[in-house]
Amino acid sequence: MGSPLIHAQAPAAPAPTQANVAYGPHPKQVLDFWKTPKAGKGPVPLMFFVHGGGWMNGDKANPDFLAKCLESGISVVSINYRLIPDAIAEKVSPPVKACLDDSARALQFVRTKAAEWGLDKNRIAGCGGSAGGFNVLWLALHDDRAEPGSTDPVARESTRLTCVMAFVPQTSLDPKQMRDWIANNDYGHHAFTLPSYQDFLDKRESLMPYIKEFSPYELVSNGDPPLYLFYDSVPALGQPHKDPPHSANFGAGLVEKLKTVGVPYEFNYTGAKDVKHPDIFGFLVEQLKP
């Protein structure tokens, strides 16, 4: 008999410094915090991670780049947030509002912990994939939701980010725009509890106030922070895609607006040339330098 196979095991992810820290009353409004062991005397930067899952599922466990961040002197927060089924149960309308509001509230809560956790609240990078990438793009591009005069110390904190790394994110919730970009798109009507994409198109005009409030594309303005968009496909605006919700056309459509306004960005996709940071993590390290 030959010797038994020995399977190499990947190192276990480090346990959070603090786990399931509540930033709100709902069971999903919790986050994990990892403090970098490389923390020096001064405050350190933070990666703020939002998981994907189409706003329907997912969990804060195993955020991307966790080990690399901790080794590089960057602390990490990864959040759970109310998903669309939770929002429907709570009668939040439209339900996607709960997913976005929770991301903002969690970020504001983290800033109230800056002194205790040794964080530089002016060096926070957003990171997420798919719907999580949508959420961090929304935070980065939305006007600051801080309420300086609020009696709530959390609400007084900023919701802005230093930069964003987003992986295969959706960048719009406009049904017509999404179909113009991706001919076979059938994603997004669930954000408004609509039964079909045709209902989404039919109700577009009445939904425009929400679309303008929630779509990253609609929120782009001069002075927004640098964005890194990564897709594992080739952009071809107007063409169908094998995986519409994760099509690089979402990136190409947003990039057209970023160019017009002058927001700094890197657009990395299959076959992309002249990307400044082909090593994606290098972008985050550069942006979070003191």
Side-chain angles (χ1 to χ4, degrees), residues 100-147:
L100 299 173
D101 283 349
D102 282 7
S103 297
R105 180 74 181 183
L107 178 57
Q108 291 174 301
F109 172 84
V110 167
R111 281 194 160 102
T112 68
K113 291 288 188 179
E116 180 183 338
W117 291 354
L119 305 175
D120 182 346
K121 63 171 68 177
N122 295 313
R123 288 191 290 155
I124 301 179
C127 183
S130 191
F134 183 109
N135 286 27
V136 292
L137 286 171
W138 178 81
L139 287 169
L141 300 172
H142 200 287
D143 289 345
D144 200 335
R145 287 161 50 107
E147 301 171 26

Side-chain angles (χ1 to χ4, degrees), residues 55-286:
W55 301 310
M56 296 295 291
N57 51 56
D59 186 78
K60 59 184 166 53
N62 304 313
D64 291 342
F65 299 114
L66 174 59
K68 279 193 167 188
C69 282
L70 299 179
E71 290 165 8
S72 302
I74 301 166
S75 289
V76 175
V77 158
S78 183
I79 73 167
N80 279 350
Y81 52 96
R82 287 173 296 169
L83 302 170
I84 283 174
D86 305 309
I88 292 171
E90 291 192 331
K91 296 182 168 55
V92 178
S93 181
V96 70
K97 182 178 187 297
C99 311
L100 299 173
D101 283 349
D102 282 7
S103 297
R105 180 74 181 183
L107 178 57
Q108 291 174 301
F109 172 84
V110 167
R111 281 194 160 102
T112 68
K113 291 288 188 179
E116 180 183 338
W117 291 354
L119 305 175
D120 182 346
K121 63 171 68 177
N122 295 313
R123 288 191 290 155
I124 301 179
C127 183
S130 191
F134 183 109
N135 286 27
V136 292
L137 286 171
W138 178 81
L139 287 169
L141 300 172
H142 200 287
D143 289 345
D144 200 335
R145 287 161 50 107
E147 301 171 26
S150 175
T151 56
D152 175 5
V154 176
R156 292 197 293 264
E157 295 289 344
S158 174
T159 58
R160 295 287 274 176
L161 291 165
T162 304
C163 64
V164 158
M165 288 195 306
F167 304 95
V168 298
Q170 302 81 41
T171 60
S172 174
L173 273 179
D174 180 340
K176 181 181 182 302
Q177 184 175 58
M178 289 191 283
R179 275 280 169 90
D180 287 345
W181 289 351
I182 308 156
N184 61 334
N185 183 67
D186 193 37
Y187 176 90
H189 52 282
H190 68 304
F192 298 94
T193 332
L194 295 172
S196 72
Y197 203 85
Q198 188 58 52
D199 282 292
F200 199 7
L201 289 166
D202 292 344
K203 292 182 168 61
R204 176 178 180 265
E205 288 308 313
S206 64
L207 292 172
M208 280 310 295
Y210 292 127
I211 291 166
K212 288 184 179 296
E213 172 71 11
F214 299 147
S215 287
Y217 179 93
E218 296 286 346
L219 299 170
V220 174
S221 60
N222 189 263
D224 285 335
L227 310 178
Y228 193 110
L229 306 170
F230 177 86
Y231 293 86
D232 54 359
S233 60
V234 180
L237 276 173
Q239 299 301 307
H241 194 272
K242 63 181 179 181
D243 181 14
H246 303 118
S247 168
N249 294 355
F250 272 117
L254 180 62
V255 161
E256 287 187 349
K257 182 79 169 283
L258 299 175
K259 284 179 181 174
T260 302
V261 177
V263 174
Y265 71 90
E266 293 186 46
F267 184 28
N268 192 354
Y269 54 86
T270 301
K273 302 287 192 294
D274 301 322
V275 177
K276 184 180 177 184
H277 293 95
D279 170 13
I280 300 167
F281 189 69
F283 168 84
L284 187 143
V285 171
E286 181 172 312

